[in-house]
Amino acid sequence: MQQARILIIGAGIGGLTVAIALGRRGFGVSMIECDPDWSVYGVGIIQQSNVIRAMHVLGILQDYLDAGVGFDHVDIFAPDGRRLARVPSPKLVPEHPANVGIGRRALQAVLARRAREAGATVRLGIEATRLDDDGNGVSVQFSDGSTARYDLVIGADGLYSTTRGMLFPDARQPELTGQGVWRYNFPREPGLDALAAYEGPIGMGLVPIGAELMYLYVTSPEPGNPRYPREGLAQAMRDKLKRAPPRIAALAAGITDDAGVVYKPLEWLYLDGPWHKGRVALLGDAVHATTPHLGQGAGMAIEDGIVLAEELAQQATPQAAFTAWQARRVERCRYIVDHSKLIGDSQLGLRPPVDQSAAVRGMFEMIARPL
Ligand SMILES: Cc1cc2nc3c(=O)[nH]c(=O)nc-3n(C[C@H](O)[C@H](O)[C@H](O)COP(=O)(O)OP(=O)(O)OC[C@H]3O[C@@H](n4cnc5c(N)ncnc54)[C@H](O)[C@@H]3O)c2cc1C
């Protein structure tokens, strides 16, 4: 199948990764992205040893590390600010960091450049409005009126994937969890050499994402999914931090710019059953969207892309490749979605408290397994 022409719908983290992995193997890759500005919101992301391994496999590790900041531990704090544990993270690529904090824009810039270098084309402001799979190929109609035919299509169009809607109109829909996450960038604290995670009904933490930059996140209960207007967001985020331990409370006073606050209600989705139909497959958040409690959503999308390219290169038919790919992915994607949700539910008081150090250790064990 190495000659296959593949359309990737969605040029986010998962779409760009699979584009790099396929391009490096000689597949012909075209991408479409609905956002004409290809914008990314300006906060960062936590990535763990499995992503460092993935970037190594993709041959882009140094570029990626240069765009973020590496660290080797997760510090767990009690709600009152006492440090409970320093959990070492396993290294999967020797001589390189175990974890990385990276700005989302910085990550996209690296992936986009490498996807283009691997031969992928990207058309912005375009959607696929219709997919006709006749068994030998997929004819695609685009929102600009053009049409094209591909051997395979990959839907990497995120939580509200329209490709999923076209493939599986009755599939379950994303569900709100009852929590929201607030994020705000700050100058990096001197000495912040780990992810600092605070336990408690309001989860919070500090993530280094550059030599001089870190972000603060706060996970709050948001029953009824309230709407927060842009004006007043900084005050709303400060209100969530009223009972924060001293280190975080001191930072909270500096949350003053409404435009700098990024708020998102949390949602999750796990698609039981197939993630593919005929010549079309879905990856990343389109089929397994996790809450961020273990910092692994993007990691799972990235791994999906690498494994899918491997199987497409090895198997004789798309169906065999998609089936083998999903079989390799379900256990760990399900684990991440379920265990992340457990932490969120415990923060909401819906189940007994989760030992966060144990949860982080369990996650590290799972993601260290071979892909
Ligand atoms: C608050 C929060 C914090 C998070 N923190 C972390 C973290 O620290 N670490 C981590 O690993 N993960 C984290 N995640 C999860 C991570 O962001 C996602 O799992 C990851 O972005 C999924 O990648 P994706 O490519 O599947 O989807 P996306 O990144 O959402 O990309 C989808 C792309 O498809 C495009 N698109 C959508 N519809 C169409 C269409 N119809 N046609 C064409 N293009 C389309 C979109 O514009 C977008 O560019 C977090 C998530 C949230 C909500």
Side-chain angles (χ1 to χ4, degrees), residues 68-80:
V69 59
F71 52 95
D72 291 337
H73 298 91
V74 178
D75 286 340
I76 309 282
F77 293 86
D80 63 7

Side-chain angles (χ1 to χ4, degrees), residues 44-48 51 64 71 74 99-102 104 195 206-209 215 217 292-299 363:
I45 192 166
I46 306 159
Q47 309 213 284
Q48 338 265 5
V51 176
Y64 165 74
F71 52 95
V74 178
N99 309 294
V100 162
I102 187 167
R104 281 185 182 259
L195 162 66
L206 299 175
V207 187
I209 53 170
Y215 72 90
Y217 68 82
H293 296 87
L294 291 171
Q296 271 294 336
M363 177 269 289

Side-chain angles (χ1 to χ4, degrees), residues 22 37 46 53 57 66 68 108 120-121 136 268 284 288 294:
L22 289 168
D37 303 321
I46 306 159
R53 174 175 61 191
V57 169
D66 289 347
Q108 169 164 311
T121 59
N136 294 314
W268 72 284
H288 49 73
L294 291 171

Side-chain angles (χ1 to χ4, degrees), residues 76 197-200 217 293-294 343 347 354-361:
I76 309 282
Y198 288 76
E199 291 184 336
Y217 68 82
H293 296 87
L294 291 171
I343 299 174
Q347 289 173 335
V354 167
D355 175 344
Q356 211 159 313
S357 310
V360 169
R361 283 197 185 89

Side-chain angles (χ1 to χ4, degrees), residues 9-15 32-34 45-46 104 126-127 156-158 162 181 183 264 284-285 292 295-299 301:
I9 300 175
I13 296 171
I32 54 166
E33 163 59 46
C34 66
I45 192 166
I46 306 159
R104 281 185 182 259
I126 307 270
E127 293 186 45
D157 47 352
T162 52
V181 173
R183 287 158 293 171
K264 199 153 178 16
D285 276 11
Q296 271 294 336

Side-chain angles (χ1 to χ4, degrees), residues 133-300:
D133 179 352
D134 62 16
N136 294 314
V138 188
S139 300
V140 182
Q141 280 185 18
F142 296 103
S143 49
D144 65 354
S146 62
T147 57
R149 190 164 166 83
Y150 300 89
D151 298 298
L152 302 171
V153 174
I154 298 172
D157 47 352
L159 184 61
Y160 283 90
S161 165
T162 52
T163 316
R164 181 182 68 230
M166 288 192 259
L167 236 55
F168 303 117
D170 300 326
R172 66 186 300 172
Q173 294 300 308
E175 281 177 45
L176 289 161
T177 67
Q179 285 186 307
V181 173
W182 306 74
R183 287 158 293 171
Y184 199 82
N185 283 336
F186 285 99
R188 184 170 166 188
E189 273 184 359
L192 182 73
D193 63 350
L195 162 66
Y198 288 76
E199 291 184 336
I202 304 243
M204 55 192 89
L206 299 175
V207 187
I209 53 170
E212 309 210 333
L213 197 63
M214 67 177 190
Y215 72 90
L216 164 66
Y217 68 82
V218 186
T219 310
S220 56
E222 299 293 340
N225 189 24
R227 295 278 154 212
Y228 291 98
R230 165 74 39 211
E231 200 180 326
L233 266 186
Q235 176 66 52
M237 183 169 178
R238 287 200 304 274
D239 288 347
K240 304 290 171 187
L241 290 165
K242 277 191 175 141
R243 276 183 281 279
R247 178 189 188 186
I248 305 290
L251 287 168
I255 301 173
T256 50
D257 176 15
D258 289 337
V261 177
V262 179
Y263 171 71
K264 199 153 178 16
L266 292 187
E267 296 171 271
W268 72 284
L269 174 77
Y270 185 87
L271 212 66
D272 290 311
W275 296 347
H276 52 93
K277 188 172 177 184
R279 290 177 166 263
V280 185
L282 302 164
L283 62 69
D285 276 11
V287 277
H288 49 73
T290 178
T291 63
H293 296 87
L294 291 171
Q296 271 294 336
M300 290 302 103

Side-chain angles (χ1 to χ4, degrees), residues 116-129:
R116 283 182 162 133
E117 281 172 15
T121 59
V122 187
R123 285 197 297 155
L124 301 178
I126 307 270
E127 293 186 45
T129 52

